[in-house]
Amino acid sequence: MRRLACAALMAFGAIASSAAAPGEDPVRIEPLHFIPTENPSARPIPAGAPARVRLSSPDLQSLADALQVRLSAGQDSFEYVIGPYPQLPGATTRTWLEPTFVIDFNEPAFEPLRKELGEGDSKLTRANLVEYVADFIEASEDRNWDIASVVAVRRAGDCSEHAVFTAALARLQGMPARVAIGVALVSEDGELGTFGHAWAEILENGKWEVADAALHGLDGTVRYLPLGLLEDEGMGYSMDLIRTMRIWIDRVVVLGAQ
Amino acid sequence: MFKATAFALSLLTGVSAYGADEPKWLTDARAREGKILKPTEIRSKDGWFKARVPGKLVGIIEKVEGSYTVELDIGADVNVACEVYPEGINLANALRVTFGNLIKSSEKSQGKVDLRVLEASDAGAHGAVPYLSLTWLYRVAAADGARVGALKQFAMEKGPAGVYCAHNEFGYTKSFAAVTRAFAESLEAVTTGLATYYTEISTFSMAGQEVGVAVATLERDSEGDTRARQMTAMLIATTDGAVQSQDSERIDWLRPDGSLINSSNTDVSNGEVENSLSLQRDEGTWIVDGEVQGKAVKAQLPKDSQPGTWVIQAQQLRALLAEPDAVGREHSIGIWLAANPDKLTVEKTKILARLGDNQFSARGEFGGIGADLKLDKASGTPSGAEIKVGPIDARLERIYVNGSF
């Protein structure tokens, strides 16, 4: 399974490492955003088919609320179908077109891009935009959560930088865009894995669609489960990131295709 | 301290981590120790600092480009190298950068470093001196065959000075530890610092691994005002065999009653200033000024904001904990945080239960983060905390306290 270079949910930039006492087997070091995923049947899920999964969480009620699932008393997990892309309700007072502290496409760093990409009738499609950003940014784990103008200059980062920059270029071109935070269920080389992830959403024909440059070109299938939106794109954005992180999945059991 | 030796070696030898056997030559190399030498005094040529360390000084100690280089023979093939920085250092970044420099230098002189493994990390304090340390294994694909190296690193802060030490050789772990501990305990430097009347040091851990250290100090100036400094340094391993560093420093100037005069905060991520902000009161309004991610920012706190301070918070909690009906009561204070700079962040503390004579359990909430706290009745500050946010399970443990306020 390809390791995704994404530290989107790592507000503290943390890696989980488990200590092994002397003489014990060491525990493999895994980043926090890798979510333990089991596929008991070992059967792949056909591309395009909704995936039926069982989700566990340290705060199951919050996860159920986020996914609009009703829990029964005593449940320690619940089934969920990752199917058509869910539409998260965002702040209704926003156009998701405006420059903000994080999505700051009004900064001088975007001037060359504004000229290169064009505006109005010549604007890129969502697919072209994703491809452009994937080429523009070099994958790197060194960045925490750069604002868009920093990404425009550094051209490096993980999924959060891809998401923020994609949203900025989309807004620059007049397309409403926002940053979603959640998990991605990835099928690749016959294996399934789940990862904490961030990506952009672009509004098309009244629906929010995924614009994920970080996973562009992945030779596999990605199923997205948004759990929150970056709503506060102001100077205090990191507190909003922490808010979104409170909803978390700590185990996924793949039950098969729906 | 985290140990993942077998895992590290499995990477070096390319076999499964589970049940991997260490080659004998490597076991022997790791186990090498010299006789720990009797401490001798070392002193910089200009007299700025002195210390007593168990090693033979090689050469003289001179200040070059802002720091003093100290080379110590500890009886190994390779000497211990230390650097003393009068202006201080960012502890986490110092370890990250110097390991990176070693890799670059090895690649220039020997060949590509095709493997590097963080074998151990530690954070703690020698008395009032906080430190971070790392142990690395690395493999160089040299033209005449693969070579494996080991680097021990240590960084500490004592007063305004920072010290970095490293030993690039297998083994001699105890000798290196003796040198660094002696540096921490005996370093004396000519400083004009304020009088420190309170110090507390805590460590951060995640999943049982010590990853960082936090220090809070209170110093009084000649006018009776207090300089309250909070420093944190944290190192995070990444999947590509490197580390990320986070260093932060916050300084609040406080009046004798603990109220805020002004504040400044600097966060350095991987050696780059991520934000540098100040908070000043100007004609009745609190003004935030500085840079966030290189972008100039200027903002006002909402009208009638009165930022609290951790000193006032601790004093008020201390008073609350002294009440017979403390359990069940709640305390709330608005604090200015650089992570949320244009408004105050409310920190709430609810007292849950008494834990013996001097401790209470409490639930803290701030900015959407919840923490299970152990509150110390004497200081009003947490002696321990557990913070769970999504996948993060971080613990804070206070390991040193001196003084009172």
Side-chain angles (χ1 to χ4, degrees):
Chain A
M1 171 68 66
R2 172 170 130 173
R3 297 227 147 173
L4 305 181
C6 180
L9 298 188
M10 298 157 68
F12 298 101
I15 294 288
S17 304
S18 299
E24 287 181 0
D25 283 341
V27 179
R28 191 167 289 274
I29 297 171
E30 292 288 7
L32 285 177
H33 57 287
F34 294 169
I35 298 168
T37 303
E38 296 167 36
N39 183 15
S41 73
R43 281 197 294 274
I45 300 174
R52 201 159 57 88
V53 294
R54 176 164 287 282
L55 305 175
S56 304
S57 170
D59 183 354
L60 199 67
Q61 187 61 59
S62 294
L63 178 64
D65 291 345
L67 298 176
Q68 297 177 327
V69 171
R70 185 165 294 182
L71 283 184
S72 305
Q75 266 187 274
D76 61 357
S77 62
F78 61 81
E79 276 191 32
Y80 187 79
V81 175
I82 308 178
Y85 187 65
Q87 302 289 299
L88 290 189
T92 51
T93 54
R94 292 185 59 172
T95 63
W96 302 100
L97 278 166
E98 68 279 17
T100 61
F101 185 81
V102 176
I103 313 294
D104 55 348
F105 60 89
N106 56 336
E107 288 290 315
F110 277 88
E111 278 313 307
L113 295 161
R114 193 185 293 273
K115 287 177 186 151
E116 182 185 339
L117 295 176
E119 291 175 90
D121 293 341
S122 62
K123 71 184 182 187
L124 297 174
T125 63
R126 175 164 57 97
N128 294 150
L129 192 58
V130 166
E131 191 175 352
Y132 180 86
V133 174
D135 287 344
F136 187 87
I137 298 177
E138 186 179 342
S140 164
E141 287 186 67
D142 288 345
R143 313 304 303 164
N144 279 342
W145 191 289
D146 286 344
I147 59 176
S149 59
V150 173
V151 184
V153 173
R154 288 191 161 274
R155 304 181 66 151
D158 58 27
C159 64
S160 59
E161 281 73 32
H162 285 81
V164 161
F165 190 64
T166 303
L169 287 188
R171 288 188 197 175
L172 177 71
Q173 300 224 305
M175 301 149 81
R178 59 191 190 179
V179 174
I181 294 149
V183 300
L185 176 65
V186 180
S187 311
E188 191 187 21
D189 302 332
E191 288 185 61
L192 285 161
T194 316
F195 307 87
H197 195 43
W199 58 90
E201 291 181 343
I202 293 175
L203 191 64
E204 281 182 353
N205 303 318
K207 283 183 69 182
W208 290 104
E209 303 284 359
V210 173
D212 185 4
L215 297 185
H216 177 70
L218 181 82
D219 186 18
T221 304
V222 186
R223 292 171 176 83
Y224 294 90
L225 192 52
L227 299 174
L229 298 170
L230 181 64
E231 302 246 21
D232 182 352
E233 298 173 1
M235 280 186 267
Y237 67 96
S238 49
M239 299 304 278
D240 203 39
L241 288 175
I242 291 168
R243 175 188 61 78
T244 65
M245 283 179 58
R246 294 180 74 176
I247 302 168
W248 185 245
I249 295 167
D250 63 1
R251 185 164 172 257
V252 176
V253 179
V254 178
L255 303 173
Q258 170 78 335
Chain B
M1 178 188 280
F2 173 66
K3 286 280 182 192
T5 305
F7 175 65
L9 285 167
S10 76
L11 295 178
L12 286 170
T13 56
V15 298
S16 164
Y18 301 95
D21 287 329
E22 184 169 296
K24 185 170 183 311
W25 67 265
L26 196 48
T27 307
D28 293 346
R30 280 171 185 291
R32 272 189 305 181
E33 284 292 347
K35 185 181 170 190
I36 295 176
L37 303 177
K38 198 174 163 185
T40 55
E41 183 172 289
I42 60 170
R43 185 185 287 265
S44 62
K45 193 178 170 188
D46 63 5
W48 186 79
F49 83 88
K50 64 178 181 180
R52 287 182 65 79
V53 293
K56 287 180 198 157
L57 180 65
V58 178
I60 55 171
I61 305 172
E62 286 185 289
K63 191 175 181 183
V64 178
E65 294 179 1
S67 67
Y68 298 89
T69 301
V70 180
E71 192 176 340
L72 294 167
D73 180 353
I74 58 167
D77 294 339
V78 178
N79 292 336
V80 169
C82 295
E83 206 73 21
V84 180
Y85 297 85
E87 310 293 327
I89 50 172
N90 289 320
L91 297 186
N93 187 51
L95 298 178
R96 185 191 68 84
V97 166
T98 45
F99 180 67
N101 289 343
L102 170 76
I103 295 296
K104 280 182 201 155
S105 135
S106 297
E107 293 197 324
K108 204 171 176 184
S109 61
Q110 298 182 70
K112 184 172 172 49
V113 173
D114 62 359
L115 196 63
R116 48 190 176 171
V117 176
L118 178 60
E119 190 187 26
S121 71
D122 193 18
H126 293 310
V129 178
Y131 70 83
L132 291 176
S133 71
L134 298 176
T135 304
W136 295 91
L137 298 180
Y138 61 96
R139 186 176 65 193
V140 184
D144 56 350
R147 289 179 191 156
V148 180
L151 180 73
K152 299 180 284 295
Q153 296 180 293
F154 173 92
M156 69 174 215
E157 176 185 275
K158 188 167 189 179
V163 178
Y164 169 79
C165 291
H167 187 223
N168 188 13
E169 187 176 354
F170 276 109
Y172 299 95
T173 306
K174 289 177 186 167
S175 302
F176 182 69
V179 167
T180 54
R181 174 181 277 275
F183 243 120
E185 290 173 347
S186 68
L187 179 71
E188 289 179 34
V190 178
T191 61
T192 53
L194 305 173
T196 303
Y197 64 93
Y198 183 77
T199 303
E200 64 174 53
I201 302 175
S202 304
T203 54
F204 295 120
S205 60
M206 290 191 193
Q209 180 183 2
E210 306 283 8
V211 296
V213 65
V215 183
T217 53
L218 298 175
E219 301 166 317
R220 194 168 281 123
D221 73 4
S222 56
E223 294 172 3
D225 292 333
T226 286
R227 179 182 186 265
R229 176 176 182 261
Q230 292 169 289
M231 181 279 279
T232 62
M234 189 156 67
L235 282 160
I236 308 296
T238 59
T239 50
D240 58 357
V243 287
Q244 290 191 7
S245 61
Q246 302 281 340
D247 294 278
S248 298
E249 183 181 61
R250 173 175 174 144
I251 293 169
D252 293 341
W253 276 98
L254 313 176
R255 296 183 187 87
D257 65 0
S259 62
L260 188 70
I261 300 170
N262 59 52
S263 185
S264 64
N265 187 95
T266 305
D267 294 323
V268 178
S269 178
N270 293 324
E272 290 179 21
V273 176
E274 198 163 75
N275 70 55
S276 176
L277 292 169
S278 67
L279 178 70
Q280 312 252 13
R281 194 166 171 86
D282 183 26
E283 295 182 358
T285 305
W286 287 96
I287 307 288
V288 180
D289 198 2
E291 286 191 354
V292 175
Q293 294 207 17
K295 192 152 73 171
V297 296
K298 191 152 191 169
Q300 288 184 6
L301 293 188
K303 202 174 170 226
D304 299 329
S305 294
Q306 182 49 53
T309 66
W310 68 267
V311 169
I312 287 182
Q313 184 184 31
Q315 288 170 338
Q316 291 178 348
L317 280 170
R318 204 186 299 166
L320 195 158
L321 297 177
E323 298 286 333
D325 60 345
V327 173
R329 289 176 64 182
E330 195 167 293
H331 176 264
S332 179
I333 190 168
I335 303 268
W336 179 70
L337 299 178
N340 196 21
D342 54 353
K343 54 184 89 69
L344 297 184
T345 301
V346 176
E347 296 194 5
K348 290 182 183 169
T349 310
K350 182 165 188 182
I351 313 302
L352 299 179
R354 189 181 290 273
L355 304 172
D357 291 341
N358 302 313
Q359 298 259 348
F360 286 81
S361 66
R363 179 71 183 168
E365 296 273 351
F366 67 100
I369 300 177
D372 292 323
L373 307 173
K374 269 188 194 167
L375 279 181
D376 175 24
K377 190 178 171 187
S379 64
T381 60
S383 59
E386 183 174 359
I387 302 165
K388 288 183 180 172
V389 184
I392 294 167
D393 185 354
R395 283 166 197 270
L396 178 139
E397 185 188 3
R398 192 168 65 185
I399 57 171
Y400 177 86
V401 187
N402 187 37
S404 61
F405 62 94

